[in-house]
Amino acid sequence: MIAESIMHGYFKLSSEREVRVDALFNLIITDAALLSFWVNTLNCAVEPLAIHKALGSIESRILRRIIQSHLLAMQSAPTQKSEQEWRHHLLLSFIAQRLYALRGPAFTGNANQARMLMALAGFEIRQDTALQELYEFRYVDPVRLVDANPVLCAYVCVSQNTVEESAQLAEMLFDIAEHQYTEICSKAEVDCEQVIQALNLTLPAPEHWQDLLTRAVRLGLLTETLSRHKELGELHLAYQRICSGLFKLVPECFVYDATDQTLQGINLSDIKISVANSPSMLARCARDMDEFSEEDEEQSCVVDRQIMRHISASRVWLMPLLDNGDLVGVLMFPDDLALTEQHILDRRSSASAFAVSLNNLSRERKHSANTLEKYRARHEQLLREIVHEVNNPLSIINNYLHILELRLEGESGAKDQLELISEEIRRTATIIRRVIDVPRLNEEEFASDLLGNNATFSLKDTITKVAELSRGYAKGMGIDIEINLPDPELFLHSDPDKLTQMLINLSKNAVEAMSDHKQGDQIVFELHDGVYRNGLQGVEIVVRDNGPGISDQVLGALYEPKEFTHGSGLGLHITFNILQTLGGAMDVRTSQQGTAFSMFLPRNPQNS
């Protein structure tokens, strides 16, 4: 049994956005029934510090659900404690506290007062031996209580039927005169009143607050149901289904964007309404943050009339979606004049639940976007630092190559090799710089970057260069590199650096595929002219090996990034993407006798 003002205060705490643990704790320790419930629920001792710590470890939404369930259970109780009875027990606990405090500070503390309050109200906690002792020795002959625990003595004093009897026992057990006991009672009354005022209880409790409790519980269930959806479309669909089930009406929702102060339709995504300036009834509802009904009239705003026709309604009811006073959006319901009062309450409850879920989803999305932006900024900074540090040794190597080239000026073969190495260093630096340039590109620049630095160049020279670059790596693995190129010179207008990158990736993959080093391993570069694909004339470059072939499992996801023990698994993925940006295509033929990758490149790419 709990006084109604306590129950109402209990309910108000559960209605807040976040249940305030300190306020809940302060309320609990003033009422024996609440103390008993929470000590048993938390499975802890009658120790205020333990109770407070346990309360603080529970999520706010779980606390809210426990409080509301407890309140619903108490609503069905046949009787309730009166305000006077609750005040009387609280006052007696303060009188007892001042009595046992006479024996010294060792006996003061909230734990003894909590047990005193529970004992006075007749609540037992079997695992609490100190509380059990209060009951056990309550009716002992006072003469036998001399020198007993002062908390027990104080309990016996205040448990008497009259103030006179209590004063007489206090004189015997605490050696105080009657006027001193009267003074203690007066001070305890002040203590009691201060505690009640601090609780900020509404006395008497307002009428119909229990109806609010029922609505709050329903709202909590709706909010929990909606909060499971993490996508806007799913959330809106779930809410529409709830509305359809509750009152057979499906609303149209418009989400508020605080950044540009507009309302954007979820289903009607092409509709965007300025809250500050638009004459639309939706904007008015958002500005006033109030609900109202409106009919389809000739003088109505055109966009409103279009929306009303979309939902087949000649009259609509508009409701602002508010979460803790913040505008989240606006709902437009077809207005059914036959709705009952309960249906209207359901509509408001469901709208509140939807607003909470919608706002939570918005906050989560903003938080995710902010987190991603911070990560990208840190990642970009790290990339810039890496590029800066990598460019330094590349520049030094290039300088030494130039010095070496000057010293070997008379040896044409060596000079050609050094120029090849220098060109690859330049290409490496270009690829690295592109890493940090991508995040800063706009769409036009990004499209331009994908096309690369197109130029007209010799295919034979490029393929020969790649073969020379690959030969040293392959020779160390016992693999021969051959080139099979037509006699006529072939020129192509495309990006020579990106073609070089693709061919190196393919040759490197071929070398790694033949890691078992059997005799006769070979990689062949081929070039074919006069090839047509999808009506486009072009050339075909083939990189062929006589390795073990590609398994069916790998073929199923050939161009996706993979993890391999011998490499990053990104080569084919990168090659495929580059080839697509150049307007080309790739085919693969594989068997146990080897694999051939064929790259088709158009003579005149459509995106060039």
Side-chain angles (χ1 to χ4, degrees):
M1 297 184 295
I2 298 180
E4 191 168 11
S5 61
I6 291 290
M7 292 178 67
H8 178 246
Y10 200 31
F11 164 69
K12 285 199 300 182
L13 287 173
S14 74
S15 303
E16 295 176 357
R17 185 180 186 86
E18 294 291 330
V19 177
R20 292 177 293 126
V21 172
D22 288 345
L24 175 61
F25 170 77
N26 289 335
L27 184 66
I28 288 172
I29 62 173
T30 64
D31 186 88
L34 290 183
L35 266 170
S36 176
F37 171 79
W38 282 101
V39 166
N40 285 302
T41 300
L42 300 172
N43 193 27
C44 64
V46 187
E47 296 287 345
L49 288 177
I51 295 171
H52 191 282
K53 182 178 180 181
L55 288 172
S57 67
I58 302 175
E59 287 183 43
S60 186
R61 65 180 183 87
I62 303 298
L63 276 180
R64 180 180 296 106
R65 180 59 59 83
I66 294 172
I67 294 171
Q68 291 175 347
S69 300
H70 189 201
L71 282 166
L72 288 174
M74 288 188 292
Q75 272 188 318
S76 59
T79 57
Q80 290 183 346
K81 184 188 295 184
S82 68
E83 304 290 337
Q84 185 178 358
E85 190 179 359
W86 168 66
R87 281 173 173 267
H88 180 63
H89 285 153
L90 188 59
L91 173 61
L92 291 180
S93 72
F94 279 111
I95 294 173
Q97 184 183 49
R98 284 190 169 273
L99 283 175
Y100 58 70
L102 296 173
R103 296 286 183 86
F107 298 103
T108 59
N110 288 333
N112 285 329
Q113 188 181 11
R115 291 189 180 94
M116 187 68 63
L117 193 61
M118 295 184 71
L120 288 166
F123 286 92
E124 292 190 46
I125 302 293
R126 296 192 178 280
Q127 68 267 27
D128 193 294
T129 55
L131 181 58
Q132 291 302 315
E133 284 184 356
L134 295 181
Y135 288 119
E136 182 179 355
F137 299 115
R138 177 179 181 180
Y139 299 110
V140 162
D141 186 346
V143 175
R144 295 167 57 192
L145 286 173
V146 175
D147 297 327
N149 184 303
V151 177
L152 174 59
C153 293
Y155 172 59
V156 173
C157 284
V158 299
S159 298
Q160 300 307 304
N161 293 327
T162 65
V163 175
E164 290 76 14
E165 290 175 338
S166 296
Q168 290 172 5
L169 272 181
E171 183 177 0
M172 177 188 298
L173 299 175
F174 291 96
D175 194 25
I176 60 173
E178 184 176 347
H179 74 274
Q180 291 175 299
Y181 181 76
T182 302
E183 185 180 342
I184 284 174
C185 290
S186 298
K187 291 180 178 178
E189 287 180 0
V190 174
D191 296 338
C192 184
E193 193 60 35
Q194 287 176 343
V195 167
I196 293 174
Q197 288 180 2
L199 292 176
N200 195 27
L201 298 176
T202 303
L203 299 172
E207 296 182 7
H208 309 304
W209 73 267
Q210 294 184 357
D211 294 336
L212 297 176
L213 168 63
T214 305
R215 288 178 59 192
V217 172
R218 297 177 70 180
L219 176 60
L221 292 172
L222 285 172
T223 303
E224 187 172 318
T225 301
L226 292 171
S227 65
R228 296 172 185 168
H229 301 281
K230 301 302 180 185
E231 295 294 333
L232 181 60
E234 293 178 1
L235 175 62
H236 186 228
L237 180 61
Y239 177 62
Q240 287 187 319
R241 286 172 176 168
I242 288 172
C243 291
S244 178
L246 283 176
F247 30 84
K248 306 298 186 291
L249 294 174
V250 178
E252 200 63 47
C253 179
F254 299 84
V255 180
Y256 178 63
D257 186 341
T259 304
D260 58 5
Q261 295 187 323
T262 57
L263 290 169
Q264 176 86 47
I266 294 181
N267 285 340
L268 304 174
S269 57
D270 57 329
I271 293 179
K272 194 171 186 178
I273 297 170
S274 171
V275 170
N277 304 316
S278 175
S280 165
M281 66 177 78
L282 288 161
R284 178 155 47 93
C285 181
R287 288 194 297 267
D288 297 343
M289 293 191 184
D290 196 11
E291 56 185 87
F292 58 87
S293 63
E294 196 88 15
E295 293 185 357
D296 183 5
E297 299 175 343
E298 288 187 8
Q299 63 268 29
S300 298
C301 187
V302 171
V303 68
D304 293 338
R305 302 188 71 187
Q306 289 176 323
I307 297 170
M308 292 171 74
R309 290 176 182 179
H310 173 78
I311 62 176
S312 303
S314 59
R315 181 184 178 90
V316 291
W317 186 271
L318 289 101
M319 294 182 66
L321 288 171
L322 303 174
D323 180 20
N324 204 29
D326 296 331
L327 180 66
V328 180
V330 173
L331 291 175
M332 178 185 283
F333 284 89
D335 192 16
D336 186 347
L337 297 177
L339 282 181
T340 65
E341 182 66 25
Q342 186 58 54
H343 282 144
I344 293 173
L345 292 176
D346 286 340
R347 184 162 61 181
R348 288 173 181 156
S349 295
S350 64
S352 297
F354 182 50
V356 171
S357 299
L358 194 61
N359 207 18
N360 288 340
L361 180 61
S362 176
R363 280 195 292 265
E364 288 173 9
R365 294 170 79 178
K366 287 178 182 176
H367 176 71
S368 298
N370 290 338
T371 302
L372 179 60
E373 190 60 34
K374 290 177 183 177
Y375 170 77
R376 289 187 62 185
R378 289 197 298 266
H379 191 245
E380 183 179 345
Q381 180 60 31
L382 179 62
L383 287 175
R384 291 183 186 283
E385 292 172 3
I386 292 173
V387 169
H388 179 271
E389 294 304 312
V390 169
N391 274 327
N392 288 339
L394 287 178
S395 298
I396 294 171
I397 293 170
N398 217 20
N399 289 337
Y400 275 100
L401 283 174
H402 181 64
I403 294 171
L404 192 59
E405 186 179 348
L406 292 176
R407 292 181 178 178
L408 299 174
E409 192 169 354
E411 301 182 24
S412 60
K415 186 177 179 181
D416 291 342
Q417 294 289 334
L418 290 175
E419 287 179 352
L420 192 61
I421 294 171
S422 181
E423 177 63 21
E424 284 306 295
I425 291 174
R426 182 201 63 77
R427 193 173 66 84
T428 301
T430 301
I431 293 172
I432 292 173
R433 280 196 301 273
R434 192 174 295 149
V435 170
I436 61 173
D437 287 340
V438 169
R440 301 163 66 179
L441 297 175
N442 58 36
E443 291 185 5
E444 292 182 2
E445 291 171 330
F446 184 68
S448 173
D449 183 69
L450 288 177
L451 293 175
N453 299 314
N454 287 357
T456 301
F457 60 96
S458 166
L459 282 171
K460 293 178 69 175
D461 288 349
T462 299
I463 295 172
T464 301
K465 179 182 74 172
V466 172
E468 288 298 316
L469 288 171
S470 304
R471 187 165 279 123
Y473 177 54
K475 189 174 183 180
M477 306 281 284
I479 300 170
D480 291 330
I481 299 288
E482 301 292 338
I483 53 176
N484 183 9
L485 307 177
D487 290 331
E489 187 68 75
L490 286 177
F491 291 91
L492 183 71
H493 185 76
S494 188
D495 187 332
D497 286 346
K498 289 185 175 177
L499 176 59
T500 300
Q501 185 177 352
M502 291 189 294
L503 290 173
I504 289 176
N505 284 337
L506 290 176
S507 65
K508 184 172 179 290
N509 280 355
V511 170
E512 290 170 350
M514 296 185 287
S515 55
D516 53 354
H517 308 308
K518 71 177 187 293
Q519 188 173 3
D521 283 346
Q522 187 181 60
I523 296 172
V524 179
F525 290 86
E526 300 175 1
L527 175 62
H528 306 285
D529 191 18
V531 180
Y532 287 83
R533 190 179 183 117
N534 295 328
L536 294 176
Q537 182 185 9
V539 298
E540 185 179 59
I541 303 171
V542 182
V543 180
R544 187 189 310 277
D545 67 63
N546 59 351
I550 301 172
S551 69
D552 291 341
Q553 182 179 1
V554 174
L555 275 175
L558 190 61
Y559 302 122
E560 295 178 7
K562 307 172 187 67
E563 290 290 340
F564 293 123
T565 55
H566 57 261
S568 67
L570 291 172
L572 277 177
H573 173 71
I574 292 171
T575 299
F576 180 73
N577 286 339
I578 292 175
L579 192 56
Q580 283 191 316
T581 66
L582 297 177
M586 181 178 288
D587 293 317
V588 58
R589 294 181 290 277
T590 187
S591 68
Q592 294 182 353
Q593 284 71 48
T595 300
F597 281 93
S598 303
M599 293 192 300
F600 171 81
L601 286 165
R603 286 279 195 173
N604 297 297
Q606 291 178 334
N607 57 356
S608 63

